[in-house]
Amino acid sequence: MRPIVNLLFALFFVLIGPGRAVAAEPDPYAPDRQALIKLFREIEASINAQDVDRMLAQMHPQATVTWLNGEVSRGHAEIKAYYDRMLRGERRTLDRYLTTARLGASAHFFGNGEVAVADGTMEDEFFPVARGLSA
């Protein structure tokens, strides 16, 4: 066990260099991370408010959404049409749905900070329209 500890200790000093202080470098993407979290929370809130226009305000006009049923909507018009078909009108499938979203870890930035990738989970509650029930 002692040789492993010595090896790890030696690697530690090789990696940080002699006399270098161990200090965390400032995160160059800290403002971007805060903006992403704000966007993340606004999308979650718009879903829970059943407000598709509020949701669309957070998306690029050419955004693509792959829905839970595997359907794909491209652009604001298709996204809104899908949402309306599922949650509005007499032939809708759902009365509403709610979500609780959680980030798994901080976003990773690629392409000189142009692209951010994050992961997480969503817990959804669906409230289907009750049809064909007789009292």
Side-chain angles (χ1 to χ4, degrees):
M1 179 76 164
R2 185 80 173 147
I4 292 174
V5 172
N6 288 340
L7 177 62
L8 291 175
F9 192 68
L11 283 174
F12 175 76
F13 279 104
V14 168
L15 292 174
I16 67 163
R20 243 163 78 187
V22 180
E25 292 183 28
D27 181 1
Y29 300 112
D32 296 317
R33 290 181 199 288
Q34 292 304 312
L36 287 168
I37 289 170
K38 183 178 176 185
L39 173 70
F40 178 81
R41 292 294 170 220
E42 180 60 19
I43 291 287
E44 179 185 45
S46 65
I47 290 170
N48 291 333
Q50 310 302 293
D51 189 341
V52 69
D53 293 319
R54 181 177 170 187
M55 188 184 332
L56 289 172
Q58 306 306 312
M59 296 180 186
H60 187 280
Q62 297 172 344
T64 298
V65 175
T66 302
W67 303 98
L68 291 174
N69 67 357
E71 285 187 54
V72 176
S73 299
R74 292 180 175 83
H76 283 191
E78 286 185 20
I79 293 167
K80 186 169 180 143
Y82 175 90
Y83 188 90
D84 288 347
R85 181 168 46 93
M86 298 303 279
L87 287 141
R88 296 193 175 145
E90 288 184 25
R91 300 199 43 96
R92 71 188 180 280
T93 303
L94 300 171
D95 279 326
R96 66 186 172 118
Y97 82 98
L98 303 173
T99 192
T100 302
R102 290 183 184 84
L103 286 174
S106 294
H108 297 278
F109 288 83
F110 302 95
N112 295 321
E114 295 292 318
V115 176
V117 178
D119 66 84
T121 60
M122 293 177 73
E123 291 181 28
D124 299 318
E125 272 187 279
F126 297 94
F127 300 87
V129 172
R131 288 192 172 75
L133 298 176
S134 46

